[in-house]
Amino acid sequence: MRLSPQARQIIRNTSREVFGEAATVKLFGSRIDDSLKGGDIDLLIECPESVEEVGLKTARLAARLQRQLGDQKIDVLCIWPGSPLSPAHKDAIKTGIAL
């Protein structure tokens, strides 16, 4: 996993601030492969309840993380029980690593 322990902690804490204490976060995509370089930070937020204003919250999380981690591309997906799952969501669930 190509994220420092400090970056992982920042992501966990900020995700809980935006989505609530029960939210969990997984890293997926190229950053889980230690043999690669670069790449954006792809995050999957899993919430136990439905999320209102999910677009606003995912944008808010990405913006806060960019301020704390530096100017880099951060993509955020969010799921909850009963939410529709795209192929990207399914891939994130299957390959993601909990932070």
Side-chain angles (χ1 to χ4, degrees):
M1 175 184 309
R2 291 180 297 119
L3 281 179
S4 70
Q6 180 184 10
R8 285 180 265 184
Q9 187 65 44
I10 289 169
I11 292 168
R12 281 191 302 266
N13 291 345
T14 308
S15 296
R16 290 181 184 130
E17 288 171 10
V18 174
F19 286 94
E21 288 298 317
T24 60
V25 61
K26 288 183 177 178
L27 178 71
F28 69 99
S30 63
R31 289 285 182 127
I32 62 174
D33 188 340
D34 290 334
S35 68
L36 299 176
K37 293 186 179 188
D40 54 350
I41 298 174
D42 297 307
L43 302 173
L44 174 68
I45 309 299
E46 297 176 299
C47 299
E49 299 176 350
S50 66
V51 177
E52 293 184 23
E53 299 179 329
V54 68
L56 177 64
K57 287 184 177 181
T58 56
R60 182 178 294 143
L61 175 60
R64 287 184 185 182
L65 290 175
Q66 283 179 326
R67 283 194 301 269
Q68 295 177 74
L69 299 175
D71 188 24
Q72 53 191 308
K73 191 165 189 299
I74 300 172
D75 292 324
V76 181
L77 298 177
C78 183
I79 61 170
W80 57 89
S83 64
L85 299 179
S86 70
H89 288 105
K90 291 175 184 176
D91 181 57
I93 292 166
K94 181 179 175 183
T95 63
I97 298 173
L99 295 184

